[in-house]
Amino acid sequence: FLSCVERMQYVLKSPISFNYRRREFIHYFHDSICAYKLDKDGIGDEIGDGEASPSSPFTCIASNLRPKRGVQCVTWCPFPTPLPVLAMGFSDGQVQIVAIKPGSYELLAYSDYNLNQRTCYCISWNKTSVELLAVGFDHAKAVANPNGLAVWDLHEFQFFKNLHRQATCTTPRDGDEGGHQGIAENLEKPEYEMAENDTLTSLAWIPGSTSQLVAGVATSCKLKKFDLKENGLVAGQMKCNGMVFGSTKCIAGFTFSPFHTAILACHATTFDPSGTVELWDVPNSQKLVQVVLGTRPVVTLQWSPTDAGLLASMSKDEPFIRLWSSTIPQSAELQTALTEEGYESGCETPSTD
């Protein structure tokens, strides 16, 4: 799995911007992260003194990567910040939270909870309870931390208090750009440890939930739901392996529909050449539809933020994007159809057979 991930490159758009005028996104792959912005006219630009060019990143934090350390997963801070704030997971198991500045970055916090023990495969920041950060790791025997899922509560850390305070301000104050000054804080041990002996390939908080998240488990090819409040689970408790709500090889690329928040789209891992995509009704533990492309592995999925039911997929080494139209009626019994829309992007139009 790791060898496949190392060859992939990803683009991740910011969910929000501090001044609502710039649109930021990052391009990351195994050994570097580049951050960009688009101005209101859609022209790429550096933040700082660089020339306006879509190919010129305003900062690259590759210098933050030591030998044998590679970027595996990245997520944006879910609330407004003066500068882009990212949480990142690395191949050596370290987790970092950084603020990206013009030409540089600032390390706000880090955790060596699984350093040199388990690879960090997925990371997700709760958009409702914004102090919760979940991280998924691979399976490793004979290690100090056998749990595949760790959740940190950040609300007591000074860097988080500064960032959250800035989110309520209309304009940043002088000296308030990074949300933190001084030595980076050590997150140390997480509040919640779950999924014992599991390898998690994907994570997503259930939209609107303050405690529930779903995970794809590679060791058993299952979808699991975890609830921080279930069965009396308290901070520091380790024995919680989640509830299985589906058996499937589609355990990667989790994304919830912004219009039908119970609907989860997922795809098979990059090891699977079938290119399988599925939609799940998470509350009812029901698979709604399965589509097998039969061409190349799917590497990413994304719902449209403006067009209800429109889902985009991208497959490995294909020069185009596939758009899928899903019909999800508002009824007690969800009947879902997923059909491919012809869409020209790049070199060719995908077939509809």
Side-chain angles (χ1 to χ4, degrees):
F1 182 80
L2 180 59
S3 61
C4 292
V5 171
E6 289 175 356
R7 291 192 293 269
M8 297 298 175
Q9 299 188 34
Y10 298 91
V11 174
L12 188 63
K13 179 182 176 295
S14 170
I16 198 166
S17 179
F18 182 83
N19 56 22
Y20 299 98
R21 291 192 300 271
R22 66 173 187 254
R23 297 294 180 262
E24 299 151 343
F25 66 94
I26 58 172
H27 168 226
Y28 71 98
F29 45 100
H30 181 65
D31 55 1
S32 70
I33 301 179
C34 298
Y36 301 78
K37 76 167 184 175
L38 297 176
D39 64 20
K40 63 182 179 180
D41 298 319
I43 301 174
D45 194 7
E46 291 184 313
I47 293 181
D49 299 325
E51 297 180 358
S53 169
S55 62
S56 178
F58 69 78
T59 185
C60 179
I61 61 174
S63 59
N64 198 27
L65 309 183
R66 68 188 188 192
K68 298 184 179 180
R69 167 176 290 175
V71 181
Q72 294 296 310
C73 49
V74 181
T75 186
W76 287 87
C77 178
F79 55 84
T81 54
L83 291 173
V85 173
L86 308 173
M88 305 181 295
F90 293 90
S91 60
D92 64 357
Q94 190 178 67
V95 177
Q96 295 184 2
I97 300 176
V98 302
I100 300 179
K101 296 182 175 182
S104 65
Y105 70 94
E106 180 182 5
L107 180 62
L108 304 180
Y110 67 95
S111 173
D112 291 336
Y113 165 72
N114 261 326
L115 184 64
N116 298 325
Q117 296 189 78
R118 306 177 72 174
T119 297
C120 178
Y121 276 155
C122 45
I123 190 166
S124 182
W125 211 322
N126 193 314
K127 294 180 176 60
T128 303
S129 293
V130 294
E131 71 278 4
L132 296 178
L133 179 68
V135 183
F137 298 93
D138 73 345
H139 170 65
K141 295 181 179 180
V143 296
N145 302 312
N147 300 284
L149 174 60
V151 180
W152 277 268
D153 187 335
L154 305 175
H155 79 280
E156 289 296 332
F157 292 95
Q158 189 60 46
F159 84 92
F160 181 82
K161 293 178 181 179
N162 292 344
L163 290 174
H164 203 256
R165 171 177 50 80
Q166 293 162 21
T168 63
C169 301
T170 56
T171 56
R173 300 187 304 184
D174 291 340
D176 224 13
E177 293 181 343
H180 173 76
Q181 289 79 36
I183 300 174
E185 295 181 81
N186 188 349
L187 300 180
E188 298 180 344
K189 191 170 182 173
E191 273 64 35
Y192 302 94
E193 300 171 278
M194 296 166 279
E196 187 175 1
N197 295 324
D198 283 340
T199 292
L200 302 191
T201 56
S202 196
L203 272 177
W205 291 94
I206 296 178
S209 174
T210 60
S211 63
Q212 293 184 330
L213 66 160
V214 294
V217 182
T219 42
S220 58
C221 289
K222 296 186 184 298
L223 302 177
K224 284 188 176 184
K225 182 191 299 183
F226 295 89
D227 192 337
L228 305 185
K229 299 179 180 179
E230 193 173 63
N231 299 324
L233 182 68
V234 296
Q237 183 172 335
M238 299 175 64
K239 297 296 183 181
C240 179
N241 289 324
M243 181 190 73
V244 176
F245 69 90
S247 296
T248 176
K249 59 184 177 182
C250 293
I251 53 173
F254 285 6
T255 176
F256 278 96
S257 168
F259 295 94
H260 306 277
T261 54
I263 306 303
L264 173 73
C266 51
H267 63 78
T269 67
T270 52
F271 269 144
D272 191 322
S274 66
T276 304
V277 176
E278 293 179 349
L279 299 186
W280 284 80
D281 174 7
V282 174
N284 295 317
S285 303
Q286 179 185 1
K287 184 192 297 185
L288 301 177
V289 67
Q290 180 187 76
V291 175
V292 180
L293 300 180
T295 53
R296 294 179 175 88
V298 174
V299 295
T300 187
L301 290 173
Q302 185 63 57
W303 291 98
S304 168
T306 57
D307 191 341
L310 191 62
L311 179 69
S313 70
M314 186 173 65
S315 298
K316 185 179 180 181
D317 298 327
E318 284 190 342
F320 53 80
I321 296 171
R322 298 175 187 266
L323 291 184
W324 305 88
S325 177
S326 62
T327 303
I328 309 175
Q330 296 285 357
S331 63
E333 295 183 359
L334 291 174
Q335 300 295 326
T336 307
L338 192 64
T339 57
E340 188 175 4
E341 299 282 347
Y343 180 77
E344 187 171 352
S345 177
C347 299
E348 57 184 283
T349 303
S351 62
T352 55
D353 53 7

